Amino acid sequence: MAQIMKDTWVWSSSEETILQKLNSSVRGISHSEALKRLHIYGPNAIHTKKTNVFTLFIRQITSNPLILILTIATVLSFLLGQQVSAYYIFAMILVSISLGFWNEYSAERTVEMLMKKISLLAVVVREGEKQELPVPQITIGDVVLLSPGSIIPADIRLLEADNLEVNQSALTGESKLLIKKSAPLDGPIRDINELNNIGFMGTNVVSGCGKGVVLRTGADTEFGTIAKSTSFLKPTTEFQKGLASFGDLIVKVILVLTVGIFAVNAFLGHQWLESLLFSLAIAVGLTPELLPVIVTISLSHGAGKLAKKHVIAKQLISLENLGNMDVLCTDKTGTLTEGEIQVVAPKNEKLLELALLCNNAIVHHRIFGNSIDVALWEYAQKYDITPPEMKKVFEEAFDYDKKCMFTVVAAESKQTLIAKGAPEAIFDRCTLAKDEKKTLHSEYIALSNEGYRVIALATKAIESKETYVWKDADRLEFSGFITFLDTPKKTSKDALLLLSKLHVAVKVVTGDNELVTKKICKEVGMEVSRIIVGDELDLMSEQDLKSVIQETTVFARVSPEQKLRVIQTLQQLGHTVGYLGDGINDIPSLHSADVGISVNSAVDVAKDAASLVLLRKSLHVLADGIIEGRRTFSNTIKYILMGTSSNFGNMFSAAGASFFLPFLPMTPVQILLNNGLYDISQMSIPSDTVDAEELRKPRHWNIQFIRNYMIFFGPLSSFYDFLTFAILLFVFHAPTGLFQTGWFIESLATQVLVVFIIRTARRPFFLSKPSFWLLATCISVVAAGVLIPFTPFGKSLGFVSPPPLYFAILALLVTTYLFLVETVKSVFIKKVTG
C-alpha cells in the first residue's frame, strides 16, 4: 500500500487543516521559510539509480566474457611460473578496461550536463505573489498553480480544482484520465486512483486548472519511491538492434574459432596452457571490444557539438535516430513562422473582453497557456484592457474534436455562457440564418486566404445549474471574429531547402485551417502538392491513406489522434519519422514518433515526452542535428568495416599459421599488444571528417553489406600476411623471435594504415581529407610498432631488431597492399551501387 494512503490526514482533512499542519496559507510560505525548508528537506529532485564509479569499472569486465576468461587463464599462467608474460597480459587487459570505463563515465557526465540546460519550471505562490521557479527549488508548504500541460512538480493536496483532469499513467501505468477535486475524502481508500484530491509528482494536467499545497518532495514522493527501486528503460532503437545483431554474429564466430584453435594446437602437441592463452588472445583480437566505446565517444562528441547549436539530446542514442530520420512532421507555428502570434486589432473592445473571460491562460509576470489565449492576454495588457468583474462559474476546456471551449460567467444575478473556437464549430452552434451564415463564412475564408488565423465567439444567457454540458453550448448568438497574425520566418526557406538536400521530407501537421497553412507554405517556398483535412482523413481506410500520404504535404484541421495516425502510417511504410511539437495535444505523437522533438519553451509534459529538446525553435538547428547523427553513424560503420576486413584477416592468419609452424606466430602478450595499439589508433575515428556525399541520405544497418565487405577485403589482409610469412621463412630464414617481430610490425602497419582507404568511398582515397587526430594517432601507432622491437621493453616481450632489408620489403608490402585494397574498393563499390 502506498504510504500516502496510510497517512489519512493528507486526504481526509479539510483544506484549512492541511494548510495549518504544514504551517502554510493560501498566500504560500515566505522566501526565508522556503530556504529553511529546502535546507531541511533538500532539493525537490529524484535521484534515480546512478551507476557509481566502481560499478562502471566492474561492468567493463563483466560485459566482455572473453576478458574475464583471459584474466582467469592469465592468473593460472602466473601460478604455473610464467610471471613476466602474465604481468604484460594483465597490463593490456587493464588498459582495455580503463579505456571503456573512462569513455562510459565521460558519456554519463555529458548527459548530466546537457540535461541541466532543459528547464522544468512551476508556478508557485509565495508571500501572495505568483512566480515561476525551477522545480528543484519547490519545498513543503509551497502553493502550486496547475494549468493544462503542467507536470505536477511534487505530491500535493489540492486546494482548488476547476474541471481538473490528470493523466496518472506515469505513476500507475493506466492511461485513463482522472477527474480531481479539492474536497476531503472519506475512507477507506483501496486504490491510489481513488485519491482524487491528491496530485502526484510526475503526473500531468490534461485540462482544467487547480491549486495545491506541497506535501512531499523529491525521493519522498510516490514517484520517488518507485524511482528508488526501478530502472526506467527506453525502448530499443533500430541502431541498438543493429549493434546487437552484429555483436551476436561476431561472438558466434569467435567462440567457434577459439575452441577450434585451442583444439588443433593441443592436438599438434603445443603446450596446452600456451595454446589456451594464444586462442584466447586471438579471440580478444577478433572481438570489436571498442565498438561500444566508439559509439559512445561519437554520440558524446555529437551531443556536445549540438548543445553549442542549441539542441539538447536527452538520450545520446536519440542522435542516431535523428540521423536516420527521413520524414519530419511539424506544426507551422515557430518553425515556418516566427511563432509570435499577435492579435490584429479587434472590431470592438467588447469582443476582446469576451475572449478574456473564455480563456484558461494563467496570468502573472509571465502568461502561461495555449498560444491563442496567451496572445489575447498580451494584447489586453499592452492596451490596458481588462475584462469586467465577473465570477467564472464553470469552464469546459478546449475539446479537439469539437474544436471549441466554453465558460459560464456570472455578474449579479445574470449568467452568461461564452463559447470560443474555430469559426466552423461556432457557426454550427449559432442560430444563424442561411444567408447570414454564408456571409460570415465568406468573410472567414477571405481572412484565411490572407494568412490570418481566425477564432469566433458566441454567447447566450443561461440559467444557473449544478453542472453544464456541451449541449448547453448550442443555440448561441454570434458575437464576432478575432484575427491573429503569425508572420513567416525569414530563415524558413533556406532551412527547408537544406532539409530537402538531406532527403528529409517535411510534412505540416496542424490544427489550423488549410487556407492559412497553404498561404504560409507558399510564402516560405514550400511546394504544396496535396492537402488532406481532418474530416477527409477520418473517411479514409488505412490502404487509402497509405496510397496518398507520400505525396501529401499538409494535414490541416487535424486532432491529436489524427496526427498520431499520420505518423504511424508513415512508419508502417518504412519511414523513420520525426515529430516536432510543443503542446499538450502533441504528447501522443511525441511518444510514438521515432524522434520526438520539443522546445525549451514547451509545456513541461511535452519536454518530458521528447527525446530531443531545442533551446531555439528552428528548422536550421534540426538540420545540424541530422548531420551530426549521420556523421556518428558513418564513423561507427568505419570502425566496423575496419574490424571485419584487415583486423579479421590478421587474426585468421595468426590462427592458420599456428597450425603449421613449430612455434606460435605471435605470443599471447604480443597479440594483445598488437590489438591494444590498433585500438588506440581507432579511438580517434569519432573525430574523423565525413564526406559530404555520405551525409546526404539517411543510412541504415545492413548486415549483408558488412558480410560482403568482410568476404571482399578479409582475404586480402590474410594473403599479405601469408606472403610476409613466406618472406620471413624463405628469405630471412627467420627464427622464432624475428618471425614474431616481422609479422607484428607488418600486421600492425597494414591494419592501421588501411583506415585511410576504408574511411571513404572516394577514389582515389586521398581526395578525402581525414581529421588531424585520426592522422596523428594512426601514424604514431605505426611508428610505435616499428620502434618497440628496438627497446628494452620490446626485448622483454621476445622481440628482436629486424635487419634493414626487412624494412625495405615492409615498405613495398604495405604500399602494394594499400594499392590493391584501393583497387578492390572500386570494384566493390561498383558492384554494390551497380
Side-chain angles (χ1 to χ4, degrees):
M1 182 185 285
Q3 182 60 42
I4 204 162
M5 291 166 66
K6 298 176 186 176
D7 295 339
T8 56
W9 69 272
V10 302
W11 46 265
S12 63
S13 305
S14 67
E15 293 92 321
E16 294 78 11
T17 305
I18 290 288
L19 288 168
Q20 225 171 25
K21 279 183 175 283
L22 296 171
N23 290 320
S24 185
S25 71
V26 289
R27 290 175 52 81
I29 55 177
S30 66
H31 297 291
S32 58
E33 181 62 24
L35 289 173
K36 284 181 194 173
R37 295 187 186 193
L38 280 168
H39 182 72
I40 295 168
Y41 302 113
N44 179 33
I46 293 175
H47 301 288
T48 52
K49 277 188 175 178
K50 283 192 176 181
T51 310
N52 60 39
V53 171
F54 177 74
T55 308
L56 269 180
F57 192 81
I58 294 299
R59 188 190 295 168
Q60 309 311 310
I61 302 171
T62 56
S63 62
N64 188 345
L66 289 170
I67 291 285
L68 198 58
I69 295 168
L70 184 60
T71 303
I72 294 167
T74 309
V75 170
L76 190 59
S77 171
F78 179 85
L79 295 174
L80 292 175
Q82 297 185 17
Q83 283 93 345
V84 175
S85 178
Y87 284 136
Y88 284 129
I89 295 175
F90 272 133
M92 292 296 106
I93 292 170
L94 190 61
V95 168
S96 175
I97 290 171
S98 298
L99 284 173
F101 161 76
W102 176 250
N103 284 288
E104 192 168 348
Y105 176 73
S106 299
E108 285 205 351
R109 292 294 300 273
T110 298
V111 172
E112 194 178 318
M113 177 195 72
L114 295 178
M115 290 298 285
K116 287 179 180 175
K117 297 191 177 187
I118 303 171
S119 57
L120 284 180
L121 303 171
V123 181
V124 302
V125 178
R126 281 191 184 167
E127 297 178 354
E129 288 189 4
K130 297 174 186 176
Q131 54 188 281
E132 218 175 3
L133 290 177
V135 167
Q137 292 180 21
I138 291 171
T139 190
I140 292 171
D142 266 323
V143 173
V144 179
L145 301 183
L146 304 175
S147 61
S150 302
I151 292 180
I152 298 178
D155 284 356
I156 63 173
R157 166 62 192 273
L158 292 168
L159 305 173
E160 293 177 13
D162 187 3
N163 296 312
L164 187 63
E165 286 189 301
V166 172
N167 183 339
Q168 287 190 177
S169 60
L171 192 68
T172 65
E174 300 174 23
S175 57
K176 183 176 71 173
L177 298 183
L178 299 174
I179 297 171
K180 295 289 184 176
K181 305 286 185 184
S182 59
L185 300 174
D186 296 323
I189 298 295
R190 293 174 296 275
D191 184 83
I192 200 167
N193 286 336
E194 294 177 16
L195 294 173
N196 66 8
N197 61 3
I198 302 292
F200 293 100
M201 182 185 206
T203 62
N204 64 277
V205 178
V206 176
S207 64
C209 301
K211 181 191 289 187
V213 61
V214 175
L215 300 167
R216 295 194 179 99
T217 59
D220 294 328
T221 62
E222 290 303 310
F223 196 78
T225 303
I226 295 172
K228 286 175 191 173
S229 57
T230 308
S231 178
F232 297 102
L233 298 175
K234 290 283 180 182
T236 305
T237 66
E238 285 304 314
F239 180 77
Q240 289 168 312
K241 289 175 185 173
L243 281 178
S245 61
F246 172 73
D248 290 343
L249 172 67
I250 296 301
V251 167
K252 288 171 186 173
V253 172
I254 287 168
L255 288 175
V256 171
L257 278 174
T258 305
V259 174
I261 293 167
F262 173 69
V264 171
N265 274 276
F267 177 77
L268 292 173
H270 296 160
Q271 188 183 7
W272 73 269
L273 181 59
E274 191 175 53
S275 298
L276 177 63
L277 287 171
F278 175 75
S279 60
L280 287 172
I282 289 289
V284 172
L286 286 169
T287 305
E289 73 275 12
L290 266 195
L291 185 55
V293 176
I294 294 293
V295 171
T296 300
I297 296 174
S298 297
L299 292 173
S300 300
H301 184 71
K305 287 177 72 175
L306 274 186
K308 294 176 183 175
K309 296 177 181 179
H310 312 291
V311 181
I312 304 301
K314 287 171 61 183
Q315 299 94 32
L316 291 181
I317 203 71
S318 62
L319 204 56
E320 289 288 355
N321 292 349
L322 186 59
N324 291 334
M325 184 176 76
D326 58 357
V327 176
L328 172 66
C329 295
T330 178
D331 194 356
K332 61 181 177 54
T333 306
T335 49
L336 303 183
T337 67
E338 293 293 347
E340 296 176 3
I341 299 172
Q342 296 176 338
V343 176
V344 178
K347 289 182 179 178
N348 60 69
E349 196 171 297
K350 169 103 174 129
L351 205 55
L352 185 65
E353 289 174 357
L354 290 174
L356 295 176
L357 291 168
C358 187
N359 188 306
N360 60 15
I362 292 178
V363 184
H364 62 293
H365 298 302
R366 186 176 156 204
I367 304 166
F368 286 91
N370 68 65
S371 56
I372 293 293
D373 285 349
V374 169
L376 288 164
W377 271 107
E378 285 176 343
Y379 183 87
Q381 287 181 344
K382 184 178 179 180
Y383 293 101
D384 293 324
I385 299 169
T386 54
E389 287 290 328
M390 299 181 85
K391 182 184 177 184
K392 189 180 283 188
V393 176
F394 182 84
E395 178 178 276
E396 183 67 54
F398 186 86
D399 185 295
Y400 289 97
D401 291 324
K402 295 180 173 61
K403 294 183 170 54
C404 61
M405 67 174 289
F406 73 87
T407 59
V408 177
V409 294
E412 298 175 354
S413 58
K414 287 184 178 181
Q415 286 200 163
T416 306
L417 185 148
I418 308 167
K420 171 169 70 70
E424 306 100 313
I426 298 298
F427 294 159
D428 291 342
R429 292 182 176 276
C430 290
T431 53
L432 293 169
K434 189 175 180 181
D435 288 347
E436 190 180 5
K437 186 174 181 179
K438 186 177 179 181
T439 302
L440 288 171
H441 189 266
S442 297
E443 186 182 348
Y444 159 56
I445 294 298
L447 289 167
S448 296
N449 279 326
E450 290 176 27
Y452 292 109
R453 291 178 71 173
V454 184
I455 63 166
L457 290 113
T459 64
K460 78 172 184 181
I462 190 168
E463 295 295 323
S464 177
K465 299 171 66 175
E466 280 291 320
T467 185
Y468 299 86
V469 294
W470 277 103
K471 192 176 179 182
D472 294 320
D474 285 335
R475 301 190 62 77
L476 305 175
E477 183 181 337
F478 185 77
S479 300
F481 295 122
I482 296 181
T483 55
F484 303 79
L485 188 62
D486 188 9
T487 55
K489 190 176 281 187
K490 294 176 183 176
T491 58
S492 292
K493 192 169 187 177
D494 291 339
L496 288 167
L497 188 61
L498 180 55
L499 287 171
S500 177
K501 287 179 179 177
L502 292 170
H503 290 81
V504 176
V506 177
K507 296 186 183 294
V508 178
V509 185
T510 179
D512 278 356
N513 76 61
E514 64 277 19
L515 299 174
V516 174
T517 307
K518 185 177 180 180
K519 183 169 190 344
I520 294 293
C521 289
K522 185 179 178 182
E523 289 188 19
V524 298
M526 185 175 176
E527 187 178 337
V528 178
S529 51
R530 179 167 183 165
I531 297 174
I532 293 177
V533 296
D535 292 343
E536 187 183 350
L537 190 62
D538 280 340
L539 298 174
M540 287 184 172
S541 67
E542 286 302 312
Q543 198 52 49
D544 289 340
L545 181 56
K546 284 180 180 178
S547 66
V548 298
I549 198 168
Q550 306 272 33
E551 66 191 51
T552 304
T553 315
V554 173
F555 296 88
R557 288 192 281 170
V558 288
S559 66
E561 292 77 17
Q562 290 168 332
K563 290 180 181 181
L564 183 59
R565 187 183 173 198
V566 168
I567 288 167
Q568 291 174 338
T569 302
L570 286 165
Q571 289 171 325
Q572 289 165 17
L573 292 170
H575 292 288
T576 300
V577 184
Y579 182 81
L580 174 56
D582 58 6
I584 193 167
N585 60 315
D586 295 312
I587 305 308
S589 299
L590 286 168
H591 271 298
S592 187
D594 297 289
V595 192
I597 309 159
S598 194
V599 291
N600 205 25
S601 57
V603 295
D604 290 347
V605 71
K607 286 188 284 189
D608 188 60
S611 51
L612 288 160
V613 176
L614 310 183
L615 301 183
R616 187 162 49 88
K617 196 171 185 181
S618 162
L619 292 179
H620 265 295
V621 295
L622 258 187
D624 291 337
I626 291 166
I627 290 169
E628 284 303 327
R630 292 180 185 176
R631 183 176 286 118
T632 301
F633 186 87
S634 183
N635 283 335
T636 302
I637 292 296
K638 284 177 191 176
Y639 174 75
I640 289 171
L641 296 181
M642 285 285 293
T644 53
S645 53
S646 62
N647 192 30
F648 251 70
N650 285 342
M651 294 302 108
F652 280 130
S653 303
S658 70
F659 298 158
F660 65 81
L661 287 173
F663 52 82
L664 293 177
M666 268 196 273
T667 65
V669 70
Q670 289 169 351
I671 288 174
L672 291 174
L673 177 62
N674 184 293
N675 188 57
L677 288 170
Y678 168 76
D679 282 349
I680 290 171
S681 74
Q682 303 305 291
M683 289 286 286
S684 55
I685 280 182
S687 73
D688 192 26
T689 54
V690 177
D691 298 335
E693 56 270 24
E694 294 291 318
L695 302 174
R696 284 180 193 147
K697 291 184 179 180
R699 294 174 66 187
H700 302 280
W701 273 95
N702 187 339
I703 297 297
Q704 186 179 356
F705 174 85
I706 294 169
R707 188 180 66 243
N708 291 341
Y709 204 94
M710 183 166 53
I711 293 168
F712 255 77
F713 292 93
L716 284 181
S717 179
S718 289
F719 171 76
Y720 268 81
D721 286 334
F722 282 103
L723 184 59
T724 303
F725 297 161
I727 291 169
L728 288 168
L729 290 173
F730 301 114
V731 175
F732 293 98
H733 306 289
T736 303
L738 181 57
F739 186 95
Q740 292 172 340
T741 304
W743 187 51
F744 173 86
I745 297 172
E746 182 271 343
S747 66
L748 184 64
T750 52
Q751 71 178 331
V752 169
L753 294 177
V754 78
V755 71
F756 297 114
I757 294 169
I758 290 176
R759 60 171 291 279
T760 178
R762 290 181 182 175
R763 304 180 297 278
F765 69 90
F766 52 77
L767 292 177
S768 174
K769 187 180 177 184
S771 71
F772 168 79
W773 288 112
L774 182 65
L775 188 65
T777 52
C778 288
I779 298 301
S780 299
V781 163
V782 172
V786 170
L787 293 173
I788 283 173
F790 296 94
T791 65
F793 170 68
K795 305 296 183 193
S796 70
L797 296 179
F799 291 129
V800 299
S801 302
L805 178 60
Y806 165 80
F807 289 103
I809 294 173
L810 175 69
L812 182 63
L813 283 172
V814 172
T815 303
T816 55
Y817 170 67
L818 296 178
F819 175 78
L820 187 59
V821 172
E822 176 74 359
T823 305
V824 172
K825 182 180 79 174
S826 301
V827 175
F828 179 78
I829 290 172
K830 284 178 184 175
K831 182 179 174 67
V832 170
T833 56

